[in-house]
């Protein structure tokens, strides 16, 4: 069973599993500033999506020198069941004194804006920064949902294209945190 809530016209759905298997217009990647791939969800997306994703990342690097923390760039989704991948760079958790919360919020906000620019109707997010970058999971979930609710409430004009937002939790800890939060929001 999928858990979901509706905010204005947008449905927010919780899924447990591998984001590379999710069908959505846009899949979001938790990348690093080099855009050249890595481990975790980044490794999984490049592996499943194929080399066309990396080729476009290399072009973006040549054009603008990678991607800053809190920013987002867009490429093809290659072989994934999506039209585009948005690569965003989450903050490394450093104790919380380095604007990590604002930077993480910015990842969600910029990804949603970019998806809207591309007229995406659906977008799937992983739990950005909560793996190798060690952002505390509870705080990351609160930050992600706050960014989302800020974006959807009040409904902005650009938001109108996005009808479906998926939170794809890979690990049990993140899944249970999100499930509790969504149940409480009902
Ligand atoms: N589908 C969905 N979520 C996943 C998957 C998957 N296939 N695999 C892992 N996760 P991480 P970060 C979850 O480490 O913390 C890379 O090397 C995982 O359980 O992928 O933002 C990049 O190149 C966790 O909850 O990303 C960067 O260098 C979440 O994805 C660095 O890691 C994020 O974990 C970014 O670190």
């Amino acid at each position: 069973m999928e858990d979901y809530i509706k905010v204005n016209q947008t449905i927010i759905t919780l899924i447990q599993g591998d984001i590379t298997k999710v069908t959505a217009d846009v899949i979001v990647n938790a990348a690093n500033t080099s855009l050249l791939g890595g481990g975790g969800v980044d490794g999984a997306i490049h592996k499943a999506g194929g080399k066309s994703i990396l080729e476009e990342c290399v072009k973006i690097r040549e054009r603008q020198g990678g991607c800053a923390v809190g920013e987002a760039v867009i490429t093809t989704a290659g072989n994934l069941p999506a039209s585009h991948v948005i690569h965003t760079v989450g903050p490394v958790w450093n104790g919380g004194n380095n604007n990590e919360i604002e930077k993480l919020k910015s990842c969600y906000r910029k990804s949603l804006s970019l998806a809207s620019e591309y007229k995406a109707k659906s977008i799937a997010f992983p739990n950005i920064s909560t793996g190798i970058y060690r952002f505390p999971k509870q705080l990351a979930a609160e930050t992600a949902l706050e960014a989302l609710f800020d974006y959807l409430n009040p409904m902005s004009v650009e938001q109108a294209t996005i009808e479906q937002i998926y939170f794809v939790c890979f690990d049990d800890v993140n899944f249970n945190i999100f499930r509790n939060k969504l149940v409480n929001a009902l």
Side-chain angles (χ1 to χ4, degrees):
M1 194 192 85
E2 287 179 343
D3 291 301
Y4 74 92
I5 59 170
K6 199 165 180 191
V7 180
N8 290 328
Q9 297 310 308
T10 306
I11 295 170
I12 301 171
T13 304
L14 179 62
I15 296 175
Q16 184 167 24
D18 179 351
I19 202 166
T20 65
K21 306 278 196 290
V22 174
T23 301
D25 292 341
V26 166
I27 301 279
V28 177
N29 181 21
N32 61 56
T33 55
S34 80
L35 295 177
L36 293 180
V41 69
D42 195 8
I45 284 174
H46 279 282
K47 189 169 174 215
K51 66 177 178 9
S52 58
I53 299 179
L54 186 61
E55 282 166 5
E56 284 194 23
C57 284
V58 167
K59 282 192 193 132
I60 294 168
R61 257 174 79 83
E62 285 165 3
R63 215 165 49 230
Q64 63 180 59
C67 180
V69 175
E71 296 293 328
V73 298
I74 192 162
T75 66
T76 174
N79 303 325
L80 295 172
S83 308
H84 292 92
V85 171
I86 287 180
H87 307 260
T88 188
V89 183
V92 176
W93 180 258
N94 232 317
N97 298 317
N98 203 16
N99 271 334
E100 289 95 326
I101 292 177
E102 264 317 304
K103 287 172 183 161
L104 185 59
K105 255 193 200 169
S106 171
C107 290
Y108 285 96
R109 203 170 43 233
K110 295 268 169 86
S111 298
L112 287 162
S113 289
L114 195 48
S116 286
E117 256 178 60
Y118 279 73
K119 307 274 180 262
K121 287 191 161 50
S122 56
I123 181 168
F125 282 101
N127 303 122
I128 302 163
S129 280
T130 66
I132 292 162
Y133 283 177
R134 305 182 317 273
F135 203 107
K137 291 180 177 177
Q138 181 80 28
L139 187 56
E142 283 160 14
T143 304
L145 287 171
E146 211 175 295
L148 212 69
F149 291 147
D150 284 355
Y151 186 78
L152 298 177
N153 259 326
M155 205 199 303
S156 62
V157 175
E158 61 173 359
Q159 174 263 330
T161 74
I162 296 180
E163 295 166 1
Q164 178 73 247
I165 298 173
Y166 299 103
F167 275 111
V168 185
C169 299
F170 194 63
D171 58 90
D172 291 345
V173 175
N174 267 318
F175 180 70
N176 288 326
I177 290 170
F178 269 86
R179 196 169 49 184
N180 286 335
K181 293 214 162 292
L182 290 186
V183 167
N184 289 337
L186 289 174

